[in-house]
Amino acid sequence: MSMHIEILVEDSSGEKLLEAVLPKILGDRGDPHTWRTHAYKGIGRIPRNLRGKADPGKRILLDQLPRLLQGYGRTPGIDAVVVVLDSDCRDCTLFLAELKALAAGCNPLPNTLFRLAIEEVEAWYLGDRQALEQAYPNAKRDVLNRYVQDSVCNTWELLADAVYSGGSAAVKKAGWPLPGQIKHEWAQEIGPLLDPERNVSPSFTKLRDGLRCLAAKGAV
């Protein structure tokens, strides 16, 4: 039985990564499942109440989430919604509880799955060392060897220290838009090489298994 899934992610580099790995998790689009990914312009914060009026034009994900979920809940043909977020420095257990409480207050609520990248989506690149080193053969192994998988350690900065000339210090000195450009490059270069079966990131594994469970059973 086919499903259609709407996937919300906090930025466009995350969207690019998901578009590269989703067919490896769910099969080719339309065979049998379909999905659409939607990139936002930042994570924002969970609204204090479901009736708060966030500006839709700003496209900040958590600010818009109650409105989005209720809209999807009223839309025929949408079987599930998946929300993919960086945990950053948040306590993951508390953050997930807050997200689920927000969802519980939405009426109607679509079948909704929340998944967190710990601490940032770059943990998923670091979870497949083979793909990373294939994309960046000159990556600094000593830096990569320091990484403890899915730890809170300034993940994107560590990856930049491993693969970018001058490291994260050079990226930060240059300032915006370079950090965003670098993250897009990683999604483009590493994303297509990621192997969902090989990836050792626990948070990536939860995304992979959650999506497959959703597609197989229509429930999490």
Side-chain angles (χ1 to χ4, degrees):
M1 184 175 177
S2 64
M3 291 191 71
H4 177 74
I5 305 171
E6 296 284 304
I7 301 173
L8 314 181
V9 61
E10 64 185 78
D11 61 32
S12 55
S13 61
E15 179 185 36
K16 186 179 287 289
L17 167 61
L18 288 173
E19 285 293 336
V21 299
L22 285 170
K24 301 178 185 181
I25 296 173
L26 294 172
D28 292 337
R29 197 191 306 260
D31 187 22
H33 308 296
T34 60
W35 60 84
R36 289 189 302 179
T37 55
H38 304 271
Y40 286 77
K41 295 182 178 179
I43 188 169
R45 63 183 63 187
I46 294 175
R48 290 182 180 274
N49 63 75
L50 298 183
R51 290 179 292 278
K53 293 186 177 180
D55 182 355
K58 292 184 178 179
R59 290 189 61 78
I60 305 299
L61 181 48
L62 289 181
D63 295 16
Q64 303 294 328
L65 196 54
R67 179 184 63 82
L68 291 167
L69 291 180
Q70 292 178 118
Y72 284 130
R74 291 190 293 266
T75 304
I78 293 176
D79 299 300
V81 178
V82 177
V83 184
V84 180
L85 303 162
D86 290 352
S87 66
D88 297 318
C89 295
R90 299 174 182 87
D91 179 291
C92 296
T93 301
L94 292 177
F95 189 33
L96 277 173
E98 290 171 350
L99 291 167
K100 290 177 180 179
L102 179 154
C106 295
N107 185 22
L109 175 68
N111 191 5
T112 303
L113 173 67
F114 295 105
R115 283 296 181 261
L116 304 179
I118 313 295
E119 146 197 39
E120 297 164 329
V121 76
E122 284 73 27
W124 297 351
Y125 303 130
L126 290 158
D128 188 343
R129 180 83 172 256
Q130 183 175 324
L132 195 160
E133 292 183 352
Q134 184 179 343
Y136 293 96
N138 296 320
K140 296 177 180 177
R141 271 63 174 182
D142 60 326
V143 175
L144 296 177
N145 289 340
R146 292 202 306 265
Y147 180 61
V148 176
Q149 190 63 55
D150 282 27
S151 61
V152 178
C153 63
N154 297 318
T155 311
W156 82 260
E157 288 95 332
L158 184 142
L159 183 54
D161 289 340
V163 303
Y164 186 78
S165 178
S168 60
V171 178
K172 290 179 178 179
K173 183 176 181 180
W176 195 258
L178 185 58
Q181 292 169 347
I182 293 295
K183 293 183 179 187
H184 270 270
E185 178 188 302
W186 294 338
Q188 178 176 318
E189 298 300 324
I190 308 172
L193 301 174
L194 290 179
D195 183 343
E197 315 311 322
R198 186 174 61 209
N199 203 301
V200 298
S201 164
S203 59
F204 181 85
T205 300
K206 288 182 179 179
L207 172 72
R208 180 198 69 196
D209 294 348
L211 283 167
R212 286 177 175 168
C213 180
L214 196 65
K217 300 178 181 178
V220 181

